[in-house]
Amino acid sequence: MSINWYKYSAPATFYGLAGRLVPWFGGAAASLTVIGLYLSFFVAPTDFQQGEAYRVIFIHVPAAWMSMFIYLVMAAWAAVGLAFNTRLSFMMARALAPTGAMFTFVALWTGAFWGKPMWGAWWVWDARLTSELILLFLYVGIMALWAAIDDPRRGDKAGALLALIGAINVPIIYFSVKWWNTLHQGSSIKPSGTSMDEVMLAGMVVMAIAAWFYTIAVVFVRVRRIILERERHTEWVKHVLEGA
Amino acid sequence: MMEWGSWSAFWAMGGYGLYVWGSFAMTALAIAVEVVQLRQAGRQTLQQLKRLNKWESE
């Protein structure tokens, strides 16, 4: 049984599929968040150096991972859209940006709230922090560009181009702790393994997966709305609107 | 297991309460704002599109 994936690249089919999946992803995100929070506060031990302050790791790291990963997925959809001129790809890129910007803001905020007690400063012009701030400006810039250009097709291409150009910033963020002598600590999860306590690691990974499911649910809801707006004149959207 | 001993110890978070709860509260707020905004935008779009289609079909 081979699945005809192209069938789902048609907005009408994807609209139905995404609609059916949203509650599942939303439910999974909510339950994993509850488990993750339980691990974070009631199972994970006190850190011998940072005491309880380290518990911010359970949202700071997943948010930072998501901020980078969502940007790459957005840039990938932008590339697919530019290469194949497929409308749905641009819609997916547009649907991803706000959630990516939210996670970037959360990563910066939680980082500052962790940095203040540990480093004594809310903000330092450190390579990791500065490149993450640039990531936020990129997200906002791309969303502003999409909002500014009325013609959807032209707007898609302009935003997609900026998304692609900005993608170089993601590896810079990721490797900044290795390339420069940064105040921000190096990555504690490396291919060679990790020095982290299992439960701390488990809490962080559960929260990261919850963030994944949350992102999929939110982006599907947002892209379905964009599909309705863009495909307004089609029969199937008129049918959906009568039903709604 | 992590024993807090009392709720007040839990909220104090070893003296880092402001920083830990300031982080978790802002994260919850950011997610809540995104979800609420998403719902409103959804309703608004449906109404707008219905009006537009009706207006154009007359």
Side-chain angles (χ1 to χ4, degrees), chain A residues 15 224-232 237, chain B residues 46 49:
Chain A
Y15 182 88
R224 293 180 83 232
R225 179 168 49 82
I226 295 171
I227 289 173
L228 289 184
E229 283 167 1
R230 300 277 278 266
E231 308 280 310
R232 184 164 66 84
V237 168
Chain B
L46 283 178
L49 293 184

Side-chain angles (χ1 to χ4, degrees), chain A residues 21-23 25-27 29 212-222, chain B residues 38:
Chain A
L21 292 176
V22 164
F25 283 116
W212 264 51
F213 284 143
Y214 166 80
T215 301
I216 294 170
V218 165
V219 168
F220 273 6
V221 169
R222 190 172 291 123
Chain B
L38 210 56

Side-chain angles (χ1 to χ4, degrees), chain A residues 48-62:
Chain A
F48 68 98
Q49 268 178 330
Q50 298 192 19
E52 309 305 343
Y54 89 97
R55 294 182 191 278
V56 176
I57 198 172
F58 296 113
I59 37 171
H60 177 63
V61 172

Side-chain angles (χ1 to χ4, degrees), chain A residues 41-42 99 214 222 232 244, chain B residues 2 4 19 34 45 49-50:
Chain A
F41 288 106
F42 299 105
T99 305
Y214 166 80
R222 190 172 291 123
R232 184 164 66 84
Chain B
M2 181 64 203
W4 291 100
Y19 303 111
E34 180 169 38
T45 298
L49 293 184
K50 273 192 238 176

